[in-house]
Amino acid sequence: RMIGQGMHGFVGNDHTKFENLDEELAFAAFHSISAFCNAGFSTLSGNLGNPMVMTNHNWLFVSVSFLIILGGIGFPILVNFKDIVLYHLRHFWRFIRTRKLERHKVHHLYNLNIVLIMTFLLLVIGTLAIAAFEWNASFAGMPVADKWTQAFFNATCPRTAGFSSVDLASLSVQTLLVYLVLMWIGGGAQSTAGGVK
């Protein structure tokens, strides 16, 4: 729905508008897979820094960021998330049928993983650092919501995703150092991301 409404008619790498919904869905599917696999390939000229998506498409950048994060935390954690959801659905269905609450809980599903903690910390610290360094530099002239979105997106991508939304040559030395640290750390073990894991 976001693709059909928010991105209708925007320009691709051949500088033509999408002709139909199929082309828009193909664009969405390609970029979703590219984001989850931490590949960073885009069909747009200038990657996601294409002028047609840089403004008024914050949901695109947020969606791509969360797909990158999901691909980068590792498949064991994704399986654990699936187990948690299924456990609660079964629990809820049993309550609907019997009207009885079960007291027994499976605590091992809630073990906090170092990957989740580090992912959260790296995203928060990276977002704040990039926002501070680029607020009046490469993010100058953007609305405040766009600045925060771009800071979050640019804190997510260096962990081996490969997407870019701003010209890397325009970034400050401090931001490039943040990039280097995030790229070196990378994503979680058994994930689609690289780095030292």
Side-chain angles (χ1 to χ4, degrees):
R1 188 167 187 190
M2 172 191 73
I3 297 298
Q5 292 176 352
M7 301 184 70
H8 179 69
F10 90 83
V11 177
N13 61 351
D14 60 353
H15 302 292
T16 60
K17 293 182 180 180
F18 286 139
E19 297 296 325
N20 52 45
L21 181 62
D22 290 344
E23 289 184 12
E24 293 183 18
L25 291 174
F27 172 86
F30 179 87
H31 285 79
S32 297
I33 294 167
S34 183
F36 182 81
C37 292
N38 279 244
F41 296 116
S42 176
T43 58
L44 298 174
S45 58
N47 208 296
L48 294 183
N50 188 296
M52 297 306 289
V53 295
M54 279 300 288
T55 56
N56 300 320
H57 291 101
N58 286 343
W59 280 110
L60 170 69
F61 291 102
V62 171
S63 300
V64 168
S65 296
F66 278 107
L67 286 169
I68 291 167
I69 293 165
L70 285 174
I73 59 176
F75 290 103
I77 295 173
L78 294 178
V79 169
N80 201 17
F81 285 162
K82 179 215 38 138
D83 290 343
I84 290 169
V85 170
L86 290 178
Y87 172 79
H88 284 293
L89 286 175
R90 280 194 290 271
H91 206 54
F92 179 71
W93 180 247
R94 210 171 289 126
F95 171 73
I96 294 292
R97 287 184 319 167
T98 65
R99 301 284 185 213
K100 293 180 184 176
L101 283 174
E102 291 185 15
R103 303 236 182 245
H104 185 282
K105 294 208 175 193
V106 181
H107 295 287
H108 76 275
L109 292 177
Y110 298 100
N111 289 340
L112 285 178
N113 191 294
I114 189 69
V115 174
L116 295 178
I117 295 168
M118 287 306 297
T119 297
F120 176 77
L121 289 175
L122 289 170
L123 287 171
V124 169
I125 294 168
T127 300
L128 293 174
I130 291 171
F133 296 138
E134 301 301 327
W135 195 266
N136 293 315
S138 63
F139 297 164
M142 293 181 184
V144 172
D146 287 9
K147 289 183 179 186
W148 282 113
T149 301
Q150 289 301 318
F152 176 68
F153 181 74
N154 282 278
T156 305
C157 286
R159 301 185 66 202
T160 74
F163 286 112
S164 63
S165 62
V166 294
D167 183 10
L168 296 181
S170 70
L171 298 177
S172 66
V173 174
Q174 295 92 334
T175 301
L176 292 176
L177 289 172
V178 171
Y179 260 61
L180 289 173
V181 170
L182 292 174
M183 285 190 287
W184 182 71
I185 294 170
Q190 299 180 38
S191 74
T192 61
V196 294
K197 300 189 174 187

